[in-house]
Amino acid sequence: MKANLKKETDEKLVKLFIETQKNIYFEHLYDRYSDKVYRKCLSFVKDEARAEDFAHDIFLKLVMNISSYKETAKFSTWLYSITYNYCIDQTRLAKRYSETLMDENFDIEDYDEGAEMAEMEATKLREALSQMQPEEKSILMMKYQDDLSIKEISSTLDISESAVKMRLLRAKEKIRKVYLESTLIWGIIIAKALSLLFGND
């Protein structure tokens, strides 16, 4: 039976769980998504224990509210919306915006200047993301990490598609501005250091 369930769609497992209340169906959903949900939580909080607590609470909310799921959206999209909303609420309540960081799998662009340079750039990108509010960060992650369409993001956030496009544009402009400022500051620091080292030669 377990082997057969692995082939079932998420939506079918949800339906079977609601109809029968048998844990085996929910356990399959948990196995499919527990690590993904945990990683999304970890991208909001720089703490593995807190991310685990967040993930646990999210699945608790899921099992309590699963009967409200409607197949107008994919189950994964619906689950991620719960995940993002929970993380946003928790980080807002804790006022810990500065501790949010980019998930290791969230690659805005690739770099060809060697591993050391790539790590330096990734660090600056993480720093840039850490200065963004959870709402801004989550919409970037939905688009570039989860590869959701504008329509899917619209459904997840319950806002219009034009509002999604505007928020994405603003979030991208903000991260670009912060990133460029960070790069400029580092350039000034390096130039100053070089002038101190070699200015008297």
Side-chain angles (χ1 to χ4, degrees):
M1 183 177 182
K2 286 188 176 182
N4 292 333
L5 289 179
K6 288 183 178 180
K7 299 177 182 179
E8 294 290 357
T9 64
D10 298 336
E11 291 73 23
K12 179 66 173 181
L13 290 173
V14 170
K15 184 177 181 180
L16 289 170
F17 177 69
I18 293 172
E19 290 176 349
T20 67
Q21 292 298 301
K22 290 183 178 179
N23 289 336
I24 189 170
Y25 302 119
F26 188 82
E27 287 170 2
H28 273 271
L29 291 169
Y30 180 85
D31 289 342
R32 287 179 186 178
Y33 290 102
S34 58
D35 186 62
K36 293 177 182 177
V37 168
Y38 165 75
R39 290 186 177 279
K40 292 182 190 304
C41 293
L42 188 60
S43 73
F44 277 87
V45 290
K46 191 180 178 181
D47 185 294
E48 293 182 357
R50 286 187 70 207
E52 288 177 359
D53 288 341
F54 277 23
H56 174 79
D57 291 345
I58 288 164
F59 276 100
L60 183 61
K61 286 173 66 71
L62 177 64
V63 76
M64 293 176 65
N65 295 284
I66 200 166
S67 60
S68 66
Y69 169 67
K70 308 297 182 185
E71 290 190 29
T72 51
K74 292 192 301 184
F75 173 77
S76 58
T77 301
W78 185 68
L79 174 56
Y80 293 157
S81 72
I82 293 174
T83 301
Y84 284 121
N85 289 331
Y86 181 84
C87 289
I88 288 170
D89 289 343
Q90 292 302 309
T91 50
R92 183 186 291 127
L93 288 172
K95 295 180 180 179
R96 299 285 291 276
Y97 293 149
S98 63
E99 293 187 4
T100 58
L101 56 82
M102 182 176 64
D103 185 270
E104 292 179 357
N105 294 325
F106 179 45
D107 298 322
I108 290 183
E109 58 179 300
D110 294 323
Y111 296 89
D112 298 318
E113 298 179 29
E116 185 174 350
M117 181 60 70
E119 177 58 29
M120 183 186 299
E121 300 294 346
T123 298
K124 282 186 281 189
L125 284 171
R126 283 195 290 269
E127 290 173 354
L129 279 171
S130 74
Q131 298 181 45
M132 303 183 74
Q133 293 189 359
E135 292 90 343
E136 297 169 323
K137 182 179 174 183
S138 65
I139 200 165
L140 286 172
M141 291 175 65
M142 287 180 192
K143 178 63 177 174
Y144 297 108
Q145 183 187 60
D146 298 331
D147 198 28
L148 297 185
S149 66
I150 297 296
K151 185 175 182 179
E152 288 173 323
I153 297 173
S154 170
S155 175
T156 298
L157 298 179
D158 194 24
I159 58 177
S160 68
E161 292 184 24
S162 60
V164 170
K165 293 175 183 177
M166 182 59 68
R167 290 189 188 185
L168 274 171
L169 178 62
R170 288 175 178 170
K172 286 191 290 185
E173 286 299 319
K174 182 173 180 178
I175 196 171
R176 181 184 302 168
K177 181 174 182 291
V178 174
Y179 174 77
L180 290 175
E181 286 176 352
S182 173
T183 302
L184 178 61
I185 290 169
W186 275 108
I188 293 171
I189 291 172
I190 291 170
K192 183 67 174 177
L194 290 173
S195 68
L196 290 173
L197 284 172
F198 303 109
N200 296 325
D201 290 349

